[in-house]
Amino acid sequence: WIVLFSHDFNTWRRIKKRIAKELNESEPCITYIMDFVSRRNTNQSTSLSPEKQEEKFTIVDICCGFGITSMFLSELLPPEWIDKIWLVDYNFPCHSEANPPHVKQIFYEREWPVPLRIRKVNMKKSREIKNLHNRILNVCPGPILMFGIHLCKALS
């Protein structure tokens, strides 16, 4: 990741300070997701038909902040099992807005093993939750895994 952030020293400095703390907080969730996906895709789940077992997951990281947990998941999960990972947070720029250099570099210019996509959503507004449902959840090709490690007090 040093190479990924080498063009933006300030972003790397921010991440470098937080990466150990973020990994410590997100490790149980990362482990659970990896185990769940692995069990389902190694035929240990006998209740699913073979066609259903071959469907790729879509992962949605609610209130993801900078998205470090999703970056870890993209690097750790087999791309043949995951369609994409959606990072959902209020602080991302809108689709029509110009992206800050670090957002552009991380999410649009780098090819992640599992593609990362961002979506600005205020989870406290029902209209925006409906948009999330219509634009992401309804159009995903397979099963969806949603998680939220850093939910604020009002959402948790």
Side-chain angles (χ1 to χ4, degrees):
W1 288 5
I2 294 172
V3 174
L4 172 64
F5 297 108
S6 64
H7 297 66
D8 189 351
F9 179 73
N10 290 332
T11 302
W12 172 243
R13 195 174 64 210
R14 279 180 36 210
I15 289 176
K16 187 173 75 169
K17 289 180 181 179
R18 297 180 187 169
I19 204 157
K21 176 186 132 339
E22 292 288 334
L23 182 58
N24 187 45
E25 289 175 352
S26 62
E27 186 276 329
C29 190
I30 290 172
T31 301
Y32 180 83
I33 290 172
M34 291 177 64
D35 290 345
F36 184 84
V37 171
S38 176
R39 273 194 318 271
R40 184 172 185 272
N41 289 323
T42 55
N43 295 329
Q44 293 178 8
S45 177
T46 56
S47 63
L48 295 173
S49 66
E51 305 85 43
K52 289 285 184 190
Q53 287 178 340
E54 291 178 12
E55 289 181 329
K56 288 185 168 191
F57 281 96
T58 298
I59 297 175
V60 181
D61 186 354
I62 302 292
C63 301
C64 65
F66 197 73
I68 292 174
T69 303
S70 293
M71 292 178 204
F72 279 124
L73 286 170
S74 177
E75 298 280 1
L76 294 170
L77 289 168
E80 60 272 9
W81 292 351
I82 308 296
D83 181 50
K84 66 179 65 108
I85 299 173
W86 281 97
L87 292 85
V88 176
D89 198 90
Y90 179 69
N91 291 319
F92 284 128
C94 288
H95 184 68
S96 59
E97 294 175 5
N99 288 306
H102 70 278
V103 171
K104 186 177 177 186
Q105 181 184 6
I106 295 167
F107 300 109
Y108 295 109
E109 294 176 358
R110 181 180 193 261
E111 246 183 76
W112 290 90
V114 174
L116 299 177
R117 301 290 180 262
I118 62 173
R119 181 92 185 163
K120 179 181 179 123
V121 176
N122 183 347
M123 295 301 291
K124 295 179 183 178
K125 294 188 177 182
S126 62
R127 178 186 47 139
E128 292 193 28
I129 294 172
K130 287 178 187 174
N131 281 339
L132 171 71
H133 188 267
N134 293 335
R135 299 195 188 272
I136 296 177
L137 304 181
N138 276 349
V139 297
C140 291
I144 300 167
L145 287 174
M146 294 181 76
F147 70 97
I149 295 175
H150 297 103
L151 293 177
C152 68
K153 185 176 169 182
L155 294 173
S156 62

